[in-house]
Amino acid sequence: MDESNATCGKRLASIGLENTEANRQAYRTLLISAPGLGQYISGAILFEETLYQSTVDGKKIVDILVEQGIVPGIKVDKGLVPLAGSNDESWCQGLDGLASREAAYYEAGARFAKWRTVVSIPNGPSALAVKEAAWGLARYAAISQENGLVPIVEPEILLDGEHGIERTFEVAQKVWAETFYYMAENNVMFEGILLKPSMVTPGAECEDRATPEQVADYTLKLLHRRIPPAVPGIMFLSGGQSEVEATQNLNAMNQGPNPWHVSFSYARALQNTCLKTWAGRPENVKAAQDALLLRAKANSLAQLGKYTSDGEAAEASEGMFVKNYVY
């Protein structure tokens, strides 16, 4: 739930609401106060505004999370900007002043951090863009650990493109290899990070779709080749998959034992039906929270390999891919 104010505004606009602090506060309060959410969710990534925000009742959002047994985290990157000298690619800014910002976030109650950088397959990716993404993630991870925050390392390979699953696999091997190489160079302790990668899927515009079993097969093969067992958890991003798709793919990856905890860190794939159900109306809060709990429970079961799609609503199967998605 760490969308920037601009991206949160797009979410609110989709249900006809204005992008005001009060509306962002109302929506985020709805999410974190869903009764029993902590049974299924162990951490919540916050935007800076939310870390320091209180609910309408004057209770700190961080305190409500802690009461739910949910660890508060914080998005620390400053977003994507064009990468000079590349093939119209981007790099992630935010290293300047990161140490002092993270010290302040720790004081405010955050215990982990997130940094999202992206790689685009239709644009190459160029060796320059891959190296920049990997180096930025490694510097961020080292600085976070020095400031007492567990870094979530997020090298997102965008769904954009017509490429098949093999091409995604090939690019992801390169990106993950460089990311872990540079983390080692920066003396990052692998036992103290979480990886938040994309699943290995075909491009969103590829006509040849993949089954959950194929996605699991390619993704687990990649994890085994690239991720040291010292890394405790793999928290997959949903990246525009439909709610059901993201859950089915996660479930397929947990049909056998893995050396890491293979789980989820979803935004849209947890919140889409919840947001539409709420529609900005106070009388819909409970129904919206129930929709959120339904998805949270489904994914909680999926990371145990025990999910079944019986009784899933049709809207949960709607894709959420957005071209050139920014957070």
Side-chain angles (χ1 to χ4, degrees):
M1 48 183 288
D2 61 325
E3 294 88 352
S4 64
N5 287 353
T7 304
C8 196
K10 289 177 193 168
R11 298 268 202 281
L12 294 171
S14 74
I15 56 166
L17 282 191
E18 220 181 313
N19 186 16
T20 63
E21 185 179 352
N23 283 336
R24 293 193 297 271
Q25 177 192 41
Y27 179 54
R28 286 167 167 161
T29 299
L30 176 160
L31 294 175
I32 61 153
S33 55
L37 186 64
Q39 290 177 66
Y40 313 119
I41 301 289
S42 59
I45 313 168
L46 309 177
F47 188 59
E48 190 174 55
E49 175 183 81
T50 322
L51 182 70
Y52 295 103
Q53 210 167 37
S54 296
T55 64
V56 186
D57 305 331
K59 241 182 150 177
K60 281 189 164 180
I61 281 183
V62 166
D63 293 343
I64 294 174
L65 287 170
V66 172
E67 282 170 19
Q68 289 259 43
I70 298 172
V71 181
I74 177 77
K75 166 193 165 84
V76 298
D77 68 73
K78 292 289 185 182
L80 301 165
V81 288
L83 177 61
S86 73
N87 183 25
D88 196 22
E89 295 162 287
S90 57
W91 67 286
C92 187
Q93 56 189 352
L95 291 176
D96 288 357
L98 180 60
S100 57
R101 278 188 286 128
E102 289 195 324
Y105 296 150
Y106 187 94
E107 285 301 310
R111 290 297 176 266
F112 68 94
K114 188 195 97 165
W115 176 287
R116 172 187 182 254
T117 195
V118 304
V119 169
S120 167
I121 292 179
N123 291 11
S126 65
L128 172 66
V130 172
K131 184 174 182 177
E132 179 59 53
W135 178 257
L137 283 166
R139 287 303 307 139
Y140 141 78
I143 294 165
S144 297
Q145 287 187 342
E146 280 198 355
N147 285 282
L149 299 178
V150 171
I152 289 186
V153 174
E154 182 174 1
E156 178 170 359
I157 294 162
L158 294 171
L159 279 177
D160 305 54
E162 300 172 2
H163 54 276
I165 198 167
E166 286 280 356
R167 176 66 179 143
T168 309
F169 181 78
E170 183 188 325
V171 170
Q173 281 200 107
K174 180 72 178 154
V175 172
W176 292 16
E178 290 217 25
T179 300
F180 276 85
Y181 170 73
Y182 285 122
M183 281 200 289
E185 289 283 286
N186 280 276
N187 301 306
V188 172
M189 182 178 75
F190 290 164
E191 291 85 352
I193 71 165
L194 292 172
L195 183 68
K196 181 173 175 172
S198 324
M199 296 178 190
V200 181
T201 64
E205 290 118 336
C206 176
E207 289 177 12
D208 192 11
R209 305 315 297 157
T211 64
E213 290 70 32
Q214 286 171 315
V215 171
D217 182 46
Y218 275 92
T219 307
L220 289 174
K221 184 161 62 171
L222 179 64
L223 286 171
H224 281 283
R225 285 189 184 178
R226 289 290 180 265
I227 311 305
V231 175
I234 316 293
M235 306 295 162
F236 281 103
L237 59 92
S238 52
Q241 299 178 69
S242 75
E243 290 179 334
V244 168
E245 213 178 358
T247 309
Q248 286 175 332
N249 289 339
L250 178 63
N251 189 65
M253 278 185 254
N254 282 295
Q255 293 309 302
N258 291 308
W260 336 261
H261 184 71
V262 176
S263 191
F264 64 98
S265 176
Y266 296 164
R268 286 173 287 171
L270 277 174
Q271 298 175 38
N272 193 47
T273 303
C274 167
L275 179 66
K276 286 179 180 172
T277 305
W278 175 49
R281 297 194 180 104
E283 65 270 23
N284 293 345
V285 166
K286 188 187 180 302
Q289 289 179 329
D290 288 344
L292 173 65
L293 290 166
L294 187 75
R295 290 262 51 88
K297 184 179 181 181
N299 287 296
S300 181
L301 287 168
Q303 50 93 36
L304 298 170
K306 294 178 179 176
Y307 163 79
T308 59
S309 55
D310 301 347
E312 285 281 19
E315 63 195 14
S317 299
E318 290 171 14
M320 290 176 277
F321 167 68
V322 176
K323 224 173 176 161
N324 300 317
Y325 184 67
V326 290
Y327 223 72

